[in-house]
């Protein structure tokens, strides 16, 4: 399946590993790390934005996803990262002072992708493979960008493409499995399985990927998700905090064209549930209430 924004927790983990290695600091600014991205006519010319604020979605930067529709031509269209970042930085910020409130923006994680590349001199895929996929033996997880096919057995994804391809046969249930993952990049391009997602979060929460102090910051350095639909109540450093009927849970949702995924985990990683559907609208329609109700019921009915 395409995991969508669950990718963000993977990306954030690599960033925090670089912080642990003292190759990066959470309070380093984007303007210092990526001086070539700063121009008088783009959004980085304003108040400095920190790595922490990118991770938390408190930068105020415009979400490039909102600017894709006018430029969309076909499902297999390749989107260079620089083009997507350019779309995100060309528009004014949602709010001028970073750190003042939460506003989800995929542009944040493309900038983190570029920062990882600059700091390590390796692309994000290589870092993910060496730092996360290989150590945890995530054999069914990949970070594709150029290809549109999903290797091996997989669920086909279906979406409502009527806003983009109104003349498509059955436009409200159109097979979008072969859409280019380049449109998501570090914010959502991961292809994986429910079992691998559960294994990743389990080992992350058990402290296998980050030292205790940084794992604690990842989960507790949160901001209220003002304006977001329930069940999300907070966002940390690449991790959502969800309010469920049986207490707080940690993880992320993933919305990709044709796929909707949720991963819920207890703080200690002992209780988990990962589930996905293979239909999702291309436009943001919020959380599917029926899916969430069934998902939460499954999570909260765990053995005591």
């Amino acid at each position: 399946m395409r995991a969508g924004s669950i990718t963000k927790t993977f990306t954030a983990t690599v960033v925090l590993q670089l912080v642990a290695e003292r190759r990066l600091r959470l309070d380093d600014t984007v303007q210092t790390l990526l001086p070539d991205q700063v121009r008088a006519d783009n959004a980085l010319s304003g108040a400095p934005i920190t790595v922490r604020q990118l991770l938390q979605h408190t930068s105020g930067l415009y979400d490039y996803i909102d600017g894709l529709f006018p430029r969309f031509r076909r499902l297999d269209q390749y989107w260079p990262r620089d083009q997507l970042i350019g779309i995100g930085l060309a528009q004014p910020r949602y709010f001028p002072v970073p750190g003042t409130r939460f506003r989800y923006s995929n542009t944040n994680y493309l900038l983190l992708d570029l920062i990882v590349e600059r700091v390590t001199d390796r692309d994000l895929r290589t870092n993910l493979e060496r730092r996360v996929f290989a150590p945890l033996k995530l054999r069914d997880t990949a970070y594709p960008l150029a290809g549109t096919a999903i290797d091996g057995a997989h669920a086909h994804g279906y979406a409502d493409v009527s806003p983009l391809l109104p003349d498509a046969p059955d436009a409200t249930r159109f097979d979008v499995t072969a859409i280019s993952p380049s449109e998501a990049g570090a914010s959502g391009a991961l292809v994986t399985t429910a079992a691998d997602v559960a294994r990743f979060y389990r080992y992350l929460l058990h402290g296998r990927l980050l030292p205790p102090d940084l794992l604690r910051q990842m989960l507790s350095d949160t901001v209220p998700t003002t304006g977001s639909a329930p069940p999300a109540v907070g966002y940390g450093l690449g991790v959502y905090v969800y309010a469920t009927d049986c207490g707080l849970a940690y993880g992320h949702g993933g919305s990709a064209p044709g796929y909707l995924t949720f991963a819920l985990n207890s703080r200690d990683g002992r209780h988990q549930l990962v589930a996905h559907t293979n239909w999702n609208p291309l436009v943001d329609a919020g959380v599917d209430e029926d899916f969430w109700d069934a998902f939460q019921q499954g999570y909260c009915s765990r053995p005591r």
Side-chain angles (χ1 to χ4, degrees):
M1 64 183 181
R2 297 197 187 279
S5 288
I6 285 175
T7 306
K8 290 182 174 68
T9 310
F10 284 74
T11 300
T13 298
V14 171
V15 171
L16 291 175
Q17 286 177 340
L18 294 175
V19 173
E21 295 164 10
R22 299 188 177 183
R23 303 171 74 180
L24 193 61
R25 295 178 301 176
L26 287 171
D27 293 326
D28 285 342
T29 67
V30 181
Q31 288 85 345
T32 300
L33 295 167
L34 303 174
D36 56 306
Q37 295 294 316
V38 182
R39 296 200 308 270
D41 62 346
N42 76 17
L44 289 183
S45 62
I49 295 168
T50 66
V51 171
R52 186 191 311 273
Q53 290 160 351
L54 294 180
L55 289 165
Q56 284 181 327
H57 294 295
T58 59
S59 70
L61 293 174
Y62 175 79
D63 190 346
Y64 75 87
I65 291 288
D66 293 338
L68 285 190
F69 279 170
R71 299 170 171 85
F72 185 89
R73 298 294 179 269
R74 61 186 192 276
L75 291 177
D76 63 351
Q77 181 173 346
Y78 180 76
W79 299 89
R81 179 184 59 191
D82 288 348
Q83 180 185 6
L84 300 178
I85 291 175
I87 293 170
L89 298 183
Q91 298 297 320
R93 298 183 188 185
Y94 294 120
F95 45 89
V97 182
T100 54
R101 61 188 177 91
F102 174 86
R103 180 58 159 85
Y104 196 89
S105 173
N106 291 282
T107 304
N108 294 322
Y109 277 72
L110 295 196
L111 288 170
L112 289 169
D113 175 5
L114 189 53
I115 288 169
V116 168
E117 189 173 285
R118 296 285 176 85
V119 169
T120 66
D121 201 28
R122 295 186 177 95
D123 61 19
L124 181 62
R125 177 192 287 109
T126 302
N127 276 283
L128 286 168
E129 290 172 349
R130 294 183 178 184
R131 295 170 174 270
V132 182
F133 301 169
L136 300 190
K137 296 181 172 58
L138 304 183
R139 297 186 177 92
D140 294 316
T141 299
Y143 179 70
L145 289 179
T148 59
I150 299 178
D151 292 336
H154 59 274
H156 278 238
Y158 298 86
D160 177 0
V161 296
S162 55
L164 299 177
L165 305 171
D167 298 327
D170 195 9
T172 60
R173 291 290 188 277
F174 192 78
D175 190 330
V176 294
T177 308
I179 197 167
S180 172
S182 62
E183 57 88 21
S187 70
L190 208 70
V191 172
T192 186
T193 64
D196 272 9
V197 169
R199 185 177 179 87
F200 164 71
Y201 278 108
R202 184 164 61 253
Y203 280 90
L204 173 66
L205 294 168
H206 284 177
R208 289 282 298 272
L209 293 170
L210 295 173
D213 60 324
L214 281 173
L215 177 59
R216 184 167 52 251
Q217 286 191 67
M218 186 184 213
L219 303 178
S220 63
D221 190 359
T222 59
V223 292
T225 51
T226 308
S228 295
V233 294
Y235 199 91
L237 306 182
V239 177
Y240 266 113
V241 182
Y242 294 109
T244 75
D245 290 344
C246 51
L248 295 180
Y250 301 85
H252 217 291
S255 179
Y259 302 87
L260 176 64
T261 309
F262 270 107
L264 291 183
N265 307 269
S266 60
R267 172 61 182 84
D268 60 8
R270 293 179 59 196
H271 301 294
Q272 302 177 281
L273 186 62
V274 180
H276 69 97
T277 69
N278 63 334
W279 186 87
N280 199 20
L282 285 179
V283 296
D284 183 9
V287 176
D288 184 297
E289 292 184 4
D290 291 337
F291 178 72
W292 171 254
D293 287 345
F295 183 54
Q296 179 181 222
Q297 182 179 352
Y299 177 75
C300 289
S301 64
R302 65 196 185 211
R304 299 293 178 180

